[in-house]
Amino acid sequence: MTSSPGRPPAPAARTTATASATDQDPAEVRETLHVQGRPRTMTVLQILHRPTDHPHATPDESPTAPPTTTPDAGPGTAAPAPVVLLLHGSNQTGEKLRAFTGRAFDRLATAHGAVVAYLDGHKGHWNDARVSNAFAARTEGYDDVAFVRAAVERLVERYGGDPARVHAVGYSNGGQMVIRLVHEIPDLLAGAAVLSATQPAPENFAPHETRDRPVPVMFVHGTKDPLVPYAGGMASMWGFRPRGLGLSAPETARYYARRNGITAPPATETVPTGTPAGRRARTSVEATRYGEPGRAPVVLYTVHGGGHTVPGTRRAPFLMGRTDLGFDTVAATAAFFRLPGDRAGRPARS
């Protein structure tokens, strides 16, 4: 199934919010959108300088919905903020992805001033970029591309998001969904980050209404990923429930470099991860960067010895493989997306 190329109508929504304890704690708002007649949910985080009622409340809004001012803007201003969408992995929700990563991506709101939204797939999954997708999101015809469009529209209209600075981060099944977004609605994205997912092999690639607009893309992938092989091949749940063929992580990066019109060879470097002197590191990180002036960049962070994990966040369960805790995926994401510097004055680091 492919999404409808048309822009969906503005969805209705229910909104609830939790109060912000301090200026550094994000207001947490639960939104329910109605997309093509189906309820879809997301959790929105935003730093508020003015924790007052929404100045332009409409009947379907909670009186505790956040104001439309943006993190570093004073009251009454309309300076837009960058938007970051977080898409979870299989059998997760947005809240489970937050827990899985120790809420590390909340920093994109608290430290970098972004409007952050954790989106929820249908029954724990996304209608992603793979033909082999047999999840209910596919079999029941859920249009997740339309959901993302509706979510962005809501984040721009109600939370002061900048439509020119919308970014998507996806882990595993969510990474496959980001791959679909890059091909079907690249005009919506200023950047993408794909964690523990690779480009489907041509025979396993679902979208057939694709657009070639370049998008900056960052990849993070472990060489010992037990679910999505770094070297390419059949993705599966530890050898069961095959999820279809995919390219290797290096082939995936090369695919996006070509897609972005980059012909120069990549530059490769070791990324310092802060392992104490004298201690043997069980993982290491190497960055392969593709770039040319005027071209959307591509970078692959190879986590040697790493598993199906998100480095630098929270240690994943043993079955997922090793988690590198020295490489900061969130900081690398903020730097790649060129988000504003740390609110404490520290720049984002890659």
Side-chain angles (χ1 to χ4, degrees), residues 46 206 330 336:
Q46 183 183 41
V330 177
F336 188 76

Side-chain angles (χ1 to χ4, degrees), residues 15-38:
T15 307
T16 57
T18 57
S20 175
T22 72
D23 282 352
Q24 292 299 314
D25 292 332
E28 184 173 319
V29 182
R30 188 68 174 165
E31 290 267 11
T32 300
L33 310 177
H34 292 273
V35 181
Q36 299 180 340
R38 290 164 158 169

Side-chain angles (χ1 to χ4, degrees), residues 18-339:
T18 57
S20 175
T22 72
D23 282 352
Q24 292 299 314
D25 292 332
E28 184 173 319
V29 182
R30 188 68 174 165
E31 290 267 11
T32 300
L33 310 177
H34 292 273
V35 181
Q36 299 180 340
R38 290 164 158 169
R40 306 303 304 270
T41 54
M42 65 180 178
T43 299
V44 184
L45 305 182
Q46 183 183 41
I47 289 293
L48 304 180
H49 280 256
R50 186 162 58 101
T52 58
D53 291 349
H54 194 297
H56 305 294
T58 56
D60 69 333
E61 291 178 327
S62 161
T64 56
T68 53
T69 54
T70 55
D72 290 320
T77 64
V83 172
V84 181
L85 310 175
L86 275 298
L87 281 70
H88 59 76
S90 292
N91 299 308
Q92 292 184 329
T93 62
E95 193 55 39
K96 287 182 178 179
L97 176 64
R98 281 180 90 188
F100 181 73
T101 56
R103 299 199 170 196
F105 283 97
D106 290 11
R107 282 167 39 205
L108 299 179
T110 59
H112 300 285
V115 177
V116 173
Y118 290 86
L119 278 60
D120 298 316
H122 175 59
K123 296 184 178 179
H125 296 98
W126 301 100
N127 186 352
D128 65 27
R130 296 171 293 185
V131 169
S132 59
N133 184 326
F135 304 133
R138 171 70 55 78
T139 61
E140 296 178 22
Y142 274 70
D143 191 338
D144 285 325
V145 176
F147 175 31
V148 168
R149 279 195 180 277
V152 170
E153 183 174 321
R154 179 53 50 86
L155 296 171
V156 168
E157 291 181 350
R158 184 170 294 175
Y159 296 88
D162 186 347
R165 291 189 292 166
V166 175
H167 312 83
V169 180
Y171 166 68
S172 192
N173 176 213
Q176 286 291 341
M177 187 63 217
V178 170
I179 286 172
R180 183 164 198 166
L181 299 177
V182 168
H183 286 83
E184 293 196 12
I185 52 171
D187 56 304
L188 201 69
L189 299 178
V194 176
L195 316 177
S196 298
T198 63
Q199 178 69 18
E203 64 272 25
N204 190 34
F205 187 53
H208 47 253
E209 293 182 10
T210 63
R211 300 180 58 192
D212 292 333
R213 181 181 181 275
V215 176
V217 188
M218 180 184 105
F219 296 92
V220 180
H221 209 114
T223 60
K224 293 188 177 180
D225 187 325
L227 277 67
V228 181
Y230 178 88
M234 182 63 70
S236 66
M237 300 296 287
W238 296 280
F240 300 95
R241 298 181 183 177
R243 299 284 171 83
L245 294 173
L247 304 183
S248 71
E251 287 172 328
T252 295
R254 289 194 291 270
Y255 167 89
Y256 283 90
R258 290 193 301 270
R259 188 176 185 276
N260 290 353
I262 299 171
T263 58
T268 302
E269 61 181 339
T270 299
V271 179
T273 57
T275 302
R279 179 177 297 178
R280 179 178 174 270
R282 296 189 176 184
T283 56
S284 62
V285 180
E286 182 179 62
T288 303
R289 303 181 190 276
Y290 292 85
E292 286 181 8
R295 303 291 187 184
V298 174
V299 60
L300 165 64
Y301 289 105
T302 295
V303 185
H304 293 282
H308 196 74
T309 62
V310 182
T313 59
R314 183 178 182 179
R315 194 181 303 278
F318 174 77
L319 285 175
M320 307 296 278
R322 193 177 302 280
T323 306
D324 183 299
L325 296 178
F327 176 70
D328 191 336
T329 298
V330 177
T333 300
F336 188 76
F337 290 167
R338 299 183 180 274
L339 299 184

